[in-house]
Amino acid sequence: MASAAAAGAPPGPAAPKSRKSVTGTRRTVAALFLLPALVLLGALVVYPIGYSLVRSFYNARGDGFAGLDNYKALFTDDGIRTALKNNIIWVVFAPTVSTALGLVFAVLTERVRWGTAFKLVVFMPMAISMLAAGIIFRLVYDQDPDKGVANAVWVGVHDTFAPSSAFPKAHPGRESPLEADRGGFVTRATVHTGQTVRLPLVGVAPDRLPDGAKKAVAAVAEPGKITGTTWQDFTRGKGVGRLGTPDPSEVGYAGMRIEAVKDGKVVATAEAAGDGTFTLPAKADGARLRLPAGNFKEPYNGVDWLGPALVTPAIIGSYVWMWAGFAMVLIAAGLAGVPRELLEAARVDGAGEWQVFRRITVPLLAPVLAVVAVTLMINVLKVFDLVYIIAPGSSQDDANVLALELYRKGFAEGRPGVASAIAVFLLLLVIPVMLFNIRRLRREVRR
């Protein structure tokens, strides 16, 4: 009976699985999900790093072991040393300036009603690729003020305080009474009161003449004074105008400065009117008339932004333009978490805004500032696009950085072994910065 009853009884609950089997199953599922990512990581990161490390010990043809020769080139090759020096400049200044500007923008935009719109404008360059930004700033830094915005502004400001000459190309023509003198021109003979003097010049393009220029007229003699005319004596040919005489189609040199020089000293000066006429007083009698060099000074053409001296700071400026918005957004996010009670308490205690900023805001934002600075350091160590696009061929050696030198050694000079050594060296430079960032993040998580 007991055995029959036992046979008809319902089965009991299944025995629970062991904890080890459940953990093993979860790990297997997790590994299967991670497998595609691990395959891609190995193919796109681990394998290239390993291959570059191996390749850095071989010669250019790849069929002979070169030992440490490629690594020695890192410190003996002039191009690589220049690139290393420029990378140091980049690492020191680009992250510092970008982070500082981001901090200033983040703090100030909290105090204005249109702060959101300002943040949008500052962050907008992040939406532009490095290639596009490089093309934009290649135009911004163009030497020609008619094309380059930077030089257009610079020349405009300069000419406001120190106007350039309107006659940089002017010079005496045929049968001229003038001869060269200290960058200007002087009359061969002395002049006397009651005399009219003609000072013809050529060489100024019609569209470059001063705005106040009028049709040239012959000066009228005046007793006790010296009168004259200086003008564009452009005689087209025989039968068309007279050489050395103002014709109806010719224009006066408005604003031309004339000096009367006697015994090496300037005794009188005059400035030509719109029609080119001028008048000197009686004390100019017996003097020679000089058109000083200031009349023919070449126009100010701005700053050579992409020349050897300024090309690296100029490119760093374009980088800051792009990444200051990135720094501002991250710092603004950190600033939103700063307790307002601390700031208000400091103000109530009599602290000024600068003291609040320096003693409270910046220390509380130190972790965020560290994140921004370290991220930008890693980024600038790999900078390539901006330098390659903005720096012209004549200045590219002076603006060289390690990533660009890697490209040049590997593809332009046919030295893949040296290029691989540069890649490994860059990796070694980035690793300490990455480790510092990882340790800092772990400390933040523990808190």
Side-chain angles (χ1 to χ4, degrees):
M1 295 292 291
S3 61
K17 294 183 179 180
S18 67
R19 183 176 297 178
K20 289 184 178 180
S21 62
V22 173
T23 303
T25 303
R26 290 178 178 177
R27 287 178 178 176
T28 303
V29 173
L32 290 175
F33 276 103
L34 289 174
L35 184 61
L38 292 174
V39 171
L40 288 176
L41 184 67
L44 301 179
V45 178
V46 178
Y47 172 74
I49 291 175
Y51 183 78
S52 297
L53 180 61
V54 173
R55 192 68 183 81
S56 66
F57 292 103
Y58 282 83
N59 59 20
R61 291 185 301 176
D63 57 0
F65 186 72
L68 297 176
D69 290 347
N70 293 328
Y71 288 94
K72 291 179 182 178
L74 298 179
F75 305 99
T76 57
D77 186 279
D78 290 338
I80 299 177
R81 287 194 296 181
T82 300
L84 182 59
K85 179 193 71 174
N86 287 335
N87 263 100
I88 294 173
I89 295 173
W90 272 87
V91 169
V92 171
F93 289 101
T96 303
V97 176
S98 299
T99 304
L101 283 178
L103 175 62
V104 172
F105 290 155
V107 172
L108 293 183
T109 49
E110 282 202 334
R111 299 175 173 272
V112 293
R113 298 177 60 183
W114 39 271
T116 303
F118 180 82
K119 288 179 182 178
L120 177 64
V121 172
V122 175
F123 187 75
M124 195 175 295
M126 284 297 298
I128 303 174
S129 68
M130 286 282 199
L131 172 65
I135 294 173
I136 291 171
F137 275 88
R138 181 66 182 268
L139 296 174
V140 167
Y141 291 133
D142 195 287
Q143 180 69 43
D144 187 353
D146 294 332
K147 298 179 182 177
V149 175
N151 264 341
V153 174
W154 193 269
V155 170
V157 173
H158 175 275
D159 289 349
T160 300
F161 299 98
S164 59
S165 169
F167 319 106
K169 303 295 183 182
H171 59 274
R174 293 175 294 161
E175 302 177 16
S176 173
L178 297 168
E179 62 182 9
D181 177 70
R182 300 178 184 178
F185 306 100
V186 65
T187 56
R188 292 187 175 89
T190 57
V191 298
H192 300 278
T193 55
Q195 179 183 355
T196 59
V197 184
R198 294 176 179 176
L199 306 176
L201 295 167
V202 295
V204 180
D207 59 340
R208 297 291 183 180
L209 287 167
D211 295 335
K214 301 177 183 178
K215 289 184 178 180
V217 298
V220 179
E222 297 183 24
K225 296 181 179 180
I226 298 171
T227 57
T229 305
T230 177
W231 78 101
Q232 174 94 326
D233 188 24
F234 181 68
T235 304
R236 291 178 174 82
K238 188 175 181 180
V240 184
R242 294 171 295 169
L243 187 65
T245 302
D247 297 316
S249 62
E250 295 172 346
V251 179
Y253 279 166
M256 177 73 76
R257 182 180 175 83
I258 300 97
E259 297 176 346
V261 182
K262 189 185 295 184
D263 298 327
K265 297 181 180 180
V266 177
V267 296
T269 61
E271 188 173 293
D275 56 8
T277 58
F278 60 89
T279 304
L280 290 165
K283 59 183 177 181
D285 184 66
R288 298 171 71 186
L289 300 189
R290 181 172 67 190
L291 305 179
N295 289 317
F296 312 102
K297 184 175 62 176
E298 289 287 340
Y300 182 67
N301 203 36
V303 177
D304 188 7
W305 298 104
L306 299 181
L310 293 177
V311 63
T312 295
I315 299 174
I316 290 176
S318 66
Y319 179 90
V320 171
W321 175 78
M322 288 191 68
W323 288 86
F326 167 82
M328 178 196 66
V329 170
L330 291 187
I331 296 171
L335 193 60
V338 172
R340 303 298 164 179
E341 298 81 5
L342 293 176
L343 305 180
E344 293 302 325
R347 294 187 181 104
V348 170
D349 288 341
E353 291 301 323
W354 171 246
Q355 290 177 313
V356 172
F357 174 76
R358 186 167 61 93
R359 303 279 183 139
I360 299 177
T361 305
V362 173
L364 290 175
L365 288 175
V368 179
L369 297 177
V371 170
V372 174
V374 170
T375 302
L376 294 179
M377 282 181 185
I378 296 173
N379 187 266
V380 299
L381 281 172
K382 304 179 294 181
V383 68
F384 167 81
D385 317 59
L386 288 177
V387 180
Y388 183 72
I389 296 166
I390 295 178
S394 58
S395 299
Q396 200 168 87
D397 288 342
D398 300 283
N400 201 8
V401 290
L402 288 174
L404 176 59
E405 187 65 13
L406 186 156
Y407 168 81
R408 294 169 69 174
K409 285 287 188 288
F411 298 97
E413 300 179 19
R415 300 173 66 185
V418 177
S420 299
I422 296 174
V424 173
F425 183 62
L426 270 175
L427 177 64
L428 294 176
L429 292 177
V430 171
I431 286 175
V433 183
M434 294 176 60
L435 292 176
F436 169 80
N437 210 22
I438 292 171
R439 289 178 180 176
R440 191 201 54 77
L441 290 173
R442 285 178 177 174
R443 286 197 300 267
E444 291 296 320
V445 170
R446 289 170 187 168
R447 292 177 185 175

